[in-house]
Amino acid sequence: LELELGQLGLAVADDARLIRSQVVRCRDVLDQLGVDAGNSRGSALETVSVDDMIVQSLLGVSGADRVDVTLDAAVRQRLLPGFRSTLVQTLRGVLRNALDASPDGARVSLRGTAMNGAASLVVVDGGAGMDATTLARATEPFFTTKGVGRGMGLGLFLARSVLEQLGGGIALSSEPGRGTTVTLTIPSVPPTSRAAAPSSAGSPPAPASPAPAPTAHSHAAVSPTASPTASSPDPPLETS
């Protein structure tokens, strides 16, 4: 009886840790989405290249060496306006799901293409696949096909919420015995849009007022002007 109680205590502790980690993840995502609702806790919108997002998404992922990445030239440096950390977390969650669903040693593919002003990222796993009923519920919150203690069923739900907030979307296709394909569509802009945003109403900034002429009792202040430094491009992602 004591052994059974001890095992139960370990199981409860594992569940509690899992719940806590998922709550923290949800809080981070909601903090980022709070920008559009005027929540001061959210961080400002920024852009991240497709290359950079994929590199960051694979960091710290167990089995990342099993992911085969192929990017079309047209999509590699396209910019994704949004919340950098949230986009990274979204793709990372989908990749982890694909790796978890695939047998040990099986490859997972990630292919990126550009289409109609958006970046399309397609993740294909080698898992058991899903029937129509399971597939229809796959993006519901707290729905999971993973074993006890391996997931809370929030990954695809959060991915859908984030992408729809940005004007994109997520699509799943699957059949029993044929794995699952997850397609992420994210609005994107060409790399030339990395330039600074124009001033309000699209008008050029007003010219600076001329400095007052020096007098016998004053000295004209001269501030050195730093020469602009071009930002280095994002490092290219090695593709298979």
Side-chain angles (χ1 to χ4, degrees):
L1 179 60
E2 291 180 358
L3 180 60
E4 291 179 354
L5 288 175
Q7 291 175 339
L8 178 61
L10 290 175
V12 170
D14 287 341
D15 287 344
R17 281 192 291 268
L18 180 61
I19 291 171
R20 181 177 181 179
S21 68
Q22 294 294 339
V23 168
V24 170
R25 183 181 176 197
C26 288
R27 184 184 63 195
D28 290 342
V29 171
L30 291 174
D31 281 350
Q32 295 294 330
L33 293 177
V35 171
D36 282 350
N39 185 343
S40 60
R41 295 178 63 193
S43 62
L45 287 168
E46 55 183 332
T47 57
V48 57
S49 71
V50 173
D51 256 359
D52 192 22
M53 185 184 74
I54 292 176
V55 169
Q56 293 183 45
S57 297
L58 290 170
L59 292 178
V61 174
S62 177
D65 57 327
R66 292 162 47 204
V67 179
D68 298 324
V69 180
T70 305
L71 297 180
D72 289 354
V75 77
R76 293 179 64 89
Q77 293 299 320
R78 286 191 72 86
L79 303 178
L80 309 174
F83 313 102
R84 175 188 292 262
S85 62
T86 304
L87 287 172
V88 169
Q89 290 172 13
T90 298
L91 179 57
R92 183 180 292 152
V94 172
L95 290 172
R96 280 178 170 159
N97 281 348
L99 289 166
D100 288 345
S102 301
D104 291 343
R107 312 296 297 180
V108 167
S109 71
L110 168 58
R111 180 175 181 82
T113 58
M115 52 180 294
N116 301 325
S120 175
L121 302 178
V122 181
V123 179
V124 181
D125 66 43
M130 295 180 281
D131 58 29
T133 301
T134 304
L135 182 63
R137 299 191 59 193
T139 59
E140 293 181 6
F142 303 108
F143 177 80
T144 180
T145 58
K146 296 180 181 180
V148 176
R150 297 192 61 195
M152 289 290 291
L154 290 173
L156 292 176
F157 166 71
L158 292 175
R160 186 190 69 184
S161 299
V162 168
L163 296 178
E164 288 179 353
Q165 180 83 4
L166 296 173
I170 183 171
L172 283 74
S173 62
S174 184
E175 293 181 21
R178 303 191 66 177
T180 299
T181 299
V182 180
T183 302
L184 310 178
T185 303
I186 313 172
S188 65
V189 295
T192 52
S193 298
R194 190 185 292 271
S199 57
S200 61
S203 58
S209 301
T215 66
H217 301 288
S218 65
H219 298 278
V222 179
S223 301
T225 303
S227 58
T229 303
S231 58
S232 58
D234 295 311
L237 180 72
E238 293 184 6
T239 59
S240 59

